[in-house]
Amino acid sequence: MNSSASRDRPRGFEPVDHTADIGLRAWGPTLEDLFAQAAIGMTNLLVDSGRIRQREERRVAVPAGDLEEVLVGWLQEILYLHEVGRFVASEFRVARAGSDGVEATLLGEPIDRERHAPRMDIKAATYHDLRIERTRGADGCERFETVIIFDV
Amino acid sequence: MKDGGSIELRKVSDTLFEIPRSGGMRVAGRIYADEKLLSEIEGEGGLAQVRNVAHLPGIVGYSLAMPDVHWGYGFPIGGVAATDPEQGGVVSPGGVGYDINCGIRLCPTRLTVDEVRPRIDKLVARLFSNIPCGVGSEGAIPSVSKKELQAVMRLGARWAIEKGYGDPGQTKNIEDDGRIEGADPDAVSERAVERGLEQIGTLGSGNHFAEIDVVDRIFNPEVARSFGIEENQIAILIHTGSRGFGYQICDDYLRTLGRAMQKHGIQLPDRQLACAPVASEEGRAYLAAMACAANFAWANRQTIQHLAEKALIDGMGRSRGDIGLRLLYDVSHNVAKIEWHEVEGKLRRLCVHRKGATRAHLPRGQEGRWPHGQPVIIPGDMGTESYICVGTERSLGETFGSTCHGAGRVLSRTAARARFGKRDLVRELADGGITVMAKGRGTLAEEMTGAYKNVERVVDVMDRAGISRKVARLRPLGVIKG
């Protein structure tokens, strides 16, 4: 499994080991970045995402709730698009993310098994120990960070 | 997540350990294990979860863990807890799990190992092509309409039998006759429905499988005979659940019940333990939706049994009668149910959560169907044996009629991939006499024997504790996985 960036970078994600399932650490300078990184990271667990072309758009909206609930809702929305809508995205333009919900545009294409080889089946994004935290990166700048565990 | 050795444990007997009540625990915790299994359980997070579950409003007796206990979401996997609705008892989706009515079905046949072994590769290939498995697989039977899916939710296994996937008498060999009462399709979200439409008759991925097994040991000849089980007999073992349909229902109700907790003044140590009183609007809605998913899973396993039977008929080139596939039993190991149990001399109506645990005994009054006790099927991991057991009356008094469900994970998926990922596992298993076909390469490594506890040890603990007795052992000859 490849991670996109070292933790020193201002935004990124990396897989995290977990006994029962698999986790993902994601971070970014804004909540919008954090949500986008979590989505890219999860997509990378679902399929080989290196060859996703940006041929179609999907709009995603998630209703208000506490931050963790909104993050879970956002990832579930992408899982749903993946499983039922058969759509994968390589870019997540998050216009707004916070406790009043998410508005985003996904750029991607319909799933093609040859092109986007499946990696694992994620049943759900869970609330286990889920917290979105404000931390400080190696560059000294504030950032948002979270670890989310997926049930596989 | 780690227990960190901070949890006090008291030895009750050679097979039973107790976490005494402390803090906000309403009851003590009890873990069935031996010293060796206990050492694997400690420090893994499962014990802290046994303690968390003991905080649930209305919990009765003990927060229980079977010897295959390991960390899960909210409840540990291998956890059993009963609550009393009359005493504010709650129902928790975390006590059931994402894969509602994940379970196991055993179908013995008239075939013998000598007839099957020469054709095993062909039979496994037939199974693999007949039963859709793996990530995102679609149903072998045509996608159902929304109206039809409502019938699946209400009728469970009977829906599949009415479609011709099995024989009418078979439902009596399924826990709850393959149908939980009170299923209400209106309690199920549109999104769950959409996820369910194409997934009937699909195995899925992860630890789900279908196997061709041979009965290689009999421990209890009398009970084995009454189950129609004999040495060298071939049987099909099916392990799957309610697929995306059940996951979505779990997810929907984690949110609903999470919000309801405030309303009902419930505070718990872990958000994944979201719950609501059984008697509340939210609690009732969850149970009605959960029943829909449980019934979906039974329709799913019934359909897969039909697909497996077809694979045997075609692969052996013999008639259906010659194959003689029948259903011995189908048990659920992720479910919450309203059952009557005797507690301190009084019969009480309880909500029994079994998450990674199997019902070991029929409710009082129904025992007549199985004079020696209800069959309990306990699968091993990919390279090892599975067990047919029989529940005892003692389980009713100690574990609300429950026993273990399998081996229980010890290695994370990532660690398993790191340890086994580079080896030629298909070849290694073949050398050990097991033909395997899997959709995902990674799945094999994740599900290797070393990633799980020793199933024999787990089954032996419950045997020695007198909760479920070993009857026979099944050895895998061929396996298909997602």
Side-chain angles (χ1 to χ4, degrees):
Chain A
M1 201 119 358
N2 51 346
S3 70
S4 74
S6 90
R7 294 193 66 187
D8 297 342
R9 300 259 298 269
R11 56 177 63 75
F13 64 86
E14 63 187 15
V16 176
D17 204 6
H18 186 267
T19 314
D21 291 307
I22 190 143
L24 183 78
R25 174 178 286 110
W27 64 91
T30 63
L31 278 174
E32 284 76 13
D33 280 309
L34 172 78
F35 275 52
Q37 289 300 322
I40 297 168
M42 186 179 73
T43 304
N44 195 50
L45 292 173
L46 288 168
V47 296
D48 179 355
S49 55
R51 293 168 67 206
I52 301 172
R53 293 166 297 186
Q54 300 184 356
R55 300 165 70 185
E56 288 179 27
E57 267 185 31
R58 297 282 188 279
R59 292 276 171 119
V60 169
V62 179
D66 67 45
L67 259 188
E68 285 76 20
E69 203 174 88
V70 173
L71 177 63
V72 167
W74 158 246
L75 295 173
Q76 300 290 53
E77 207 61 34
I78 296 162
L79 284 176
Y80 171 76
L81 267 179
H82 185 80
E83 187 182 306
V84 177
R86 307 253 153 82
F87 182 82
V88 275
S90 59
E91 192 178 339
F92 299 82
R93 289 186 187 154
V94 183
R96 182 169 64 83
S99 49
D100 55 350
V102 181
E103 273 174 33
T105 306
L106 278 50
L107 301 174
E109 63 180 329
I111 294 178
D112 168 353
R113 294 262 162 76
E114 298 296 311
R115 212 178 163 80
H116 322 115
R119 283 188 171 153
M120 66 170 67
D121 197 7
I122 294 179
K123 291 179 194 171
T126 76
Y127 291 98
H128 175 70
D129 275 352
L130 182 63
R131 270 184 307 276
I132 295 175
E133 288 177 310
R134 262 173 200 270
T135 57
R136 212 166 272 282
D139 54 2
C141 294
E142 258 207 349
R143 66 189 197 184
F144 293 93
E145 186 170 336
T146 195
V147 174
I148 186 153
I149 308 292
F150 298 108
D151 189 30
V152 300
Chain B
M1 191 185 109
K2 301 281 181 203
D3 296 333
S6 61
I7 293 182
E8 188 195 337
L9 274 176
R10 198 173 64 80
K11 187 169 176 174
V12 180
S13 74
D14 284 346
T15 51
L16 187 59
F17 297 82
E18 184 165 307
I19 305 173
R21 251 182 91 175
S22 67
M25 290 170 76
R26 293 167 194 261
V27 295
R30 281 198 158 181
I31 300 106
Y32 288 84
D34 60 13
E35 302 273 357
K36 168 88 169 56
L37 286 169
L38 198 68
S39 70
E40 287 175 5
I41 295 165
E42 282 184 305
E44 186 266 345
L47 292 183
Q49 293 189 316
V50 174
R51 191 179 57 188
N52 289 349
V53 169
H55 290 70
L56 289 178
I59 186 167
V60 172
Y62 297 97
S63 164
L64 295 162
M66 303 297 116
D68 47 345
V69 65
H70 61 286
W71 184 93
Y73 296 101
F75 271 57
I77 294 165
V80 175
T83 62
D84 185 344
E86 301 262 305
Q87 310 284 326
V90 292
V91 60
S92 169
V96 173
Y98 280 99
D99 194 356
I100 296 167
N101 191 6
C102 185
I104 188 113
R105 166 177 290 232
L106 182 69
C107 307
T109 69
R110 285 207 184 114
L111 299 169
T112 65
V113 63
D114 295 338
E115 294 169 295
V116 163
R117 195 184 297 283
R119 292 169 178 256
I120 190 70
D121 290 349
K122 191 176 171 190
L123 290 170
V124 172
R126 285 271 181 180
L127 273 184
F128 197 62
S129 64
N130 273 17
I131 304 173
C133 53
V135 177
S137 52
E138 289 162 37
I141 61 164
S143 164
V144 297
S145 67
K146 289 186 180 177
K147 192 163 166 247
E148 193 86 47
L149 192 63
Q150 295 206 347
V152 173
M153 296 184 219
R154 289 206 186 89
L155 300 176
R158 218 177 80 204
W159 173 86
I161 289 169
E162 282 174 9
K163 289 275 155 196
Y165 310 136
D167 300 321
Q170 282 173 342
T171 54
K172 72 177 194 311
N173 291 9
I174 306 175
E175 183 170 331
D176 294 326
D177 291 342
R179 171 176 181 261
I180 291 186
E181 296 281 338
D184 179 6
D186 288 341
V188 173
S189 70
E190 182 64 22
R191 187 152 286 197
V193 169
E194 284 179 46
R195 289 180 78 171
L197 292 174
E198 292 180 5
Q199 293 189 328
I200 296 172
T202 67
L203 205 54
S205 65
N207 59 0
H208 294 161
F209 63 77
E211 272 183 11
I212 301 172
D213 290 342
V214 57
V215 177
D216 79 334
R217 266 186 86 175
I218 302 280
F219 302 102
N220 186 329
E222 190 190 352
V223 178
R225 222 174 2 258
S226 82
F227 289 172
I229 294 293
E230 54 191 61
E231 221 168 308
N232 295 324
Q233 183 179 20
I234 293 293
I236 299 286
L237 193 62
I238 297 160
H239 178 214
T240 185
S242 51
R243 312 281 289 107
F245 183 68
Y247 313 157
Q248 186 67 45
I249 288 172
C250 177
D251 195 55
D252 291 341
Y253 279 92
L254 276 175
R255 185 174 303 215
T256 310
L257 270 57
R259 290 185 172 173
M261 277 170 65
Q262 231 177 355
K263 178 173 142 192
H264 297 290
I266 300 171
Q267 278 190 328
L268 289 169
D270 179 359
R271 191 169 186 165
Q272 287 279 153
L273 279 178
C275 61
V278 174
S280 69
E281 186 190 332
E282 296 88 355
R284 278 200 302 264
Y286 170 67
L287 280 171
M290 188 215 69
C292 291
N295 294 345
F296 181 100
W298 274 315
N300 191 28
R301 288 198 287 276
Q302 184 70 41
T303 307
I304 290 176
Q305 172 190 313
H306 169 78
L307 298 173
E309 183 181 30
K310 234 171 139 259
L312 287 187
I313 293 169
D314 296 345
M316 294 299 293
R318 307 219 336 228
S319 74
R320 185 164 187 248
D322 263 6
I323 304 291
L325 181 138
R326 66 189 174 88
L327 172 56
L328 174 63
Y329 212 62
D330 178 314
V331 281
S332 169
H333 50 228
N334 276 2
V335 78
K337 288 194 303 198
I338 303 297
E339 294 177 351
W340 289 89
H341 287 277
E342 202 176 296
V343 186
E344 289 152 5
K346 267 199 207 142
L347 208 54
R348 284 159 79 176
R349 187 177 159 268
L350 302 177
C351 178
V352 182
H353 298 75
R354 295 192 186 94
K355 182 187 189 181
T358 315
R359 191 183 73 182
H361 204 276
L362 285 165
R364 291 193 192 284
Q366 291 178 33
E367 299 95 326
R369 281 188 187 178
W370 299 96
H372 294 279
Q374 176 211 300
V376 176
I377 321 295
I378 299 168
D381 52 78
M382 198 166 48
T384 56
E385 294 80 9
S386 299
Y387 288 82
I388 304 173
C389 297
V390 62
T392 68
E393 187 145 352
R394 185 162 175 182
S395 71
L396 282 181
E398 283 195 28
T399 58
F400 303 102
S402 316
T403 188
C404 59
H405 87 305
R409 211 165 238 294
V410 286
L411 277 188
S412 74
R413 289 172 203 271
T414 326
R417 277 188 192 225
R419 185 176 302 180
F420 308 116
K422 295 209 165 58
R423 287 169 27 188
D424 187 349
L425 300 175
V426 173
R427 176 71 182 275
E428 281 180 39
L429 287 161
D431 289 345
I434 308 170
T435 303
V436 177
M437 288 183 79
K439 275 270 155 66
R441 270 188 64 228
T443 318
L444 275 187
E446 290 174 9
E447 300 297 325
M448 272 307 278
T449 301
Y452 285 89
K453 286 175 192 155
N454 182 333
V455 66
E456 188 179 5
R457 191 174 273 275
V458 166
V459 168
D460 278 343
V461 165
M462 293 320 269
D463 187 292
R464 280 193 284 132
I467 302 292
S468 54
R469 302 280 183 199
K470 287 192 291 186
V471 175
R473 191 172 78 173
L474 302 158
R475 187 160 46 81
L477 297 176
V479 186
I480 65 160
K481 291 194 68 69

